Amino acid sequence: QILINGEVFKVGKATFSSVTKDFPTRLHTQVRKLREALGPQADITVNTLSLGRTTSKHAREVETSILRWIYDMHKVVPSGNIKSFK
């Protein structure tokens, strides 16, 4: 989960098999690009939830359930998930 100024920006899955500076490489890259785009004043926070050893299918199911919960509670999809939310 990536938060910008306390608001959920994106929920997604990432594998810890490839890590850069304590975060999965894919997540690290997304955060780096956000920092470049938004500047140093943006408060970008990362929360991770370890599922242990699992399948991509199960990780996607967890991601979808979190997105559904956010949508049901707030009637909004995080802006980083708009393209992929169904």
Side-chain angles (χ1 to χ4, degrees), residues 14-72:
T15 177
F16 277 90
S17 64
S18 176
V19 176
T20 303
K21 295 185 181 181
D22 299 328
F23 292 121
T25 300
R26 182 175 176 183
L27 179 58
H28 176 79
T29 301
Q30 290 174 350
V31 170
R32 181 180 49 79
K33 288 181 179 182
L34 283 170
R35 285 194 198 286
E36 289 172 1
L38 301 175
Q41 77 282 2
D43 178 22
I44 300 174
T45 308
V46 175
N47 295 322
T48 59
L49 170 67
S50 176
L51 301 177
R53 289 184 56 87
T54 189
T55 63
S56 288
K57 180 181 178 186
H58 180 251
R60 279 191 309 273
E61 289 170 350
V62 171
E63 175 186 343
T64 301
S65 68
I66 292 169
L67 286 169
R68 288 262 176 231
W69 181 83
I70 291 170
Y71 181 78
D72 290 346

